[in-house]
Amino acid sequence: MLIDTYDRVATDLRVSLTDRCNLRCTYCMPEEGLQWLAKPDLLTDDEIVRLVRIAVTRLGITEVRFTGGEPLLRPGLVSIVERCASLDPRPRMSLTTNGIGLKRTASALRAAGLDRVNVSLDTLRPDVFKALTRRDRHHDVLAGLEAARDAGLAPVKVNSVLMPGLNDDEAPDLLAWAVGHGYELRFIEQMPLDAQHGWKRDGMITAGDILQSLRTRFTLTEEGDDERGSAPAERWLVDGGPHRVGVIASVTRPFCRACDRTRLTADGQVRTCLFAREETDLRAALRSDAPDEEIARIWTLAMWGKKAGSGLDNPSFLQPDRPMSAIGG
């Protein structure tokens, strides 16, 4: 069991499969990209599957989310999903992706055992998409979303970040579009995850701003904590239901007290929090032929030291020393 000193138990594992991405979102990385991890530093497919197996069979993990960078860039993704789906007990598995390439892979991922997807899409306007991501791929994301829905990767969730002066007026339009297409929309407050450290707390679009904008067109009924559980998103019924919209208020209303996550970076480090500055090396243990029991022990000790909170509620918060692409969202 992955328990910490605040009696939180981690049952949700986020696995970053690569630090690379085929977009250059302004809130994530600079236009020229980053210094990518060298291939020998990345976990191999076998190493990833082994760590997931240890987490599931020895440490109580019940949900696995594959992330990046952009996980669809991982050549062995379908095989990794298939092998993890054969574990006993079988974890619930999802994928966070930018949607580019999902049109050609959705059916194969579903057949391999993937349960659902989260797709990032911040705007309905192709020109704004190009400004935000520095790539002209809006149509590919829409096609990927449709393919995921048609393949049965449900519920298909759409993650949107609103940025001042770019797409901050789009919240009602995004929700109307998501409802019309059968997607579950979740707005995420912009977090300090950009490698160029351009994030500023002042001026960010907050959860309160988002809800105020949505209520100009929709009636929202809060689900409440019983329905939310340990999920990061606060959710509201839209016009009485059945459609829902979520808001992840990581900055203004942190959910650290109910956090049930542990994170594995693309180079085999355990992170107890997305914003943690400390990491625990599992790759070295793997490559020194440590038995499963020893790897589980190292992981357990790492989680025992998890801090009470992320620090995002502190106005003087300093950004992490590694960009989101290396850690996994």
Side-chain angles (χ1 to χ4, degrees):
M1 179 182 293
L2 294 173
I3 190 170
D4 64 30
T5 55
Y6 300 92
D7 292 326
R8 296 170 298 194
V9 178
T11 57
D12 185 330
L13 170 62
R14 305 296 170 101
V15 182
S16 175
L17 299 180
T18 179
D19 59 330
R20 296 174 185 266
C21 188
N22 43 13
L23 297 180
R24 296 292 182 269
C25 297
T26 56
Y27 52 77
C28 184
M29 68 174 72
E31 186 171 4
E32 64 274 14
L34 300 167
Q35 183 66 46
W36 308 121
L37 291 168
K39 188 173 181 179
D41 294 333
L42 292 170
L43 292 177
T44 66
D45 292 1
D46 288 345
E47 289 170 337
I48 290 170
V49 173
R50 184 184 175 195
L51 288 176
V52 172
R53 175 175 57 78
I54 291 170
V56 168
T57 61
R58 294 177 177 271
L59 298 174
I61 292 297
T62 59
E63 297 192 26
V64 177
R65 170 86 60 88
F66 297 108
T67 72
E70 174 45 52
L72 291 179
L73 296 179
R74 179 87 186 201
L77 173 60
V78 173
S79 175
I80 290 170
V81 170
E82 186 173 32
R83 293 166 68 184
C84 291
S86 68
L87 294 173
D88 185 16
R90 181 197 186 281
R92 293 185 295 274
M93 291 184 295
S94 59
L95 180 80
T96 294
T97 172
N98 61 29
I100 297 173
L102 192 55
K103 180 179 180 179
R104 68 174 182 273
T105 55
S107 294
L109 287 167
R110 184 70 182 107
L114 191 71
D115 295 303
R116 64 173 188 84
V117 293
N118 285 32
V119 179
S120 299
L121 181 65
D122 302 322
T123 178
L124 300 177
R125 305 168 186 162
D127 59 325
V128 176
F129 181 91
K130 187 175 181 180
L132 279 167
T133 67
R134 305 184 180 103
R135 297 291 186 271
D136 188 13
R137 306 296 297 272
H138 189 258
H139 58 288
D140 291 317
V141 180
L142 296 181
L145 279 162
E146 292 178 6
R149 182 189 60 202
D150 294 344
L153 292 168
V156 175
K157 295 184 179 181
V158 177
N159 295 340
S160 296
V161 176
L162 299 182
M163 303 283 289
L166 283 171
N167 62 340
D168 53 342
D169 60 337
E170 285 197 66
D173 290 339
L174 281 163
L175 181 53
W177 167 81
V179 167
H181 287 79
Y183 307 139
E184 184 174 323
L185 180 63
R186 305 193 311 174
F187 292 100
I188 304 175
E189 287 183 338
Q190 184 195 3
M191 294 179 283
L193 295 168
D194 56 317
Q196 61 271 35
H197 290 187
W199 179 84
K200 291 182 173 58
R201 188 183 183 96
D202 293 341
M204 63 170 283
I205 308 302
T206 68
D209 298 329
I210 295 165
L211 293 170
Q212 183 177 2
S213 179
L214 292 176
R215 287 184 171 119
T216 63
R217 197 182 305 180
F218 302 95
T219 299
L220 303 181
T221 306
E222 190 170 4
E223 276 194 333
D225 291 340
D226 290 342
E227 291 287 337
R228 181 183 183 185
S230 61
E234 300 174 72
R235 298 198 307 179
W236 285 261
L237 292 173
V238 180
D239 292 339
H243 299 288
R244 293 172 172 82
V245 63
V247 178
I248 300 178
S250 301
V251 178
T252 60
R253 295 201 288 268
F255 44 87
C256 300
R257 284 183 295 179
C259 181
D260 63 351
R261 300 179 188 180
T262 183
R263 297 177 179 275
L264 186 64
T265 68
D267 54 349
Q269 310 299 308
V270 170
R271 280 224 168 190
T272 59
C273 173
L274 185 61
F275 298 95
R277 293 182 175 275
E278 303 82 16
E279 296 179 331
T280 300
D281 189 4
L282 295 185
R283 186 185 62 196
L286 284 170
R287 296 181 181 179
S288 63
D289 297 323
D292 289 356
E293 294 84 355
E294 175 62 12
I295 293 171
R297 185 190 70 81
I298 295 170
W299 203 333
T300 301
L301 287 175
M303 292 304 295
W304 183 250
K306 184 172 182 174
K307 295 181 179 179
S310 65
L312 281 175
D313 52 349
N314 183 347
S316 62
F317 175 80
L318 296 176
Q319 289 135 311
D321 54 2
R322 285 231 271 173
M324 180 168 60
S325 61
I327 300 168

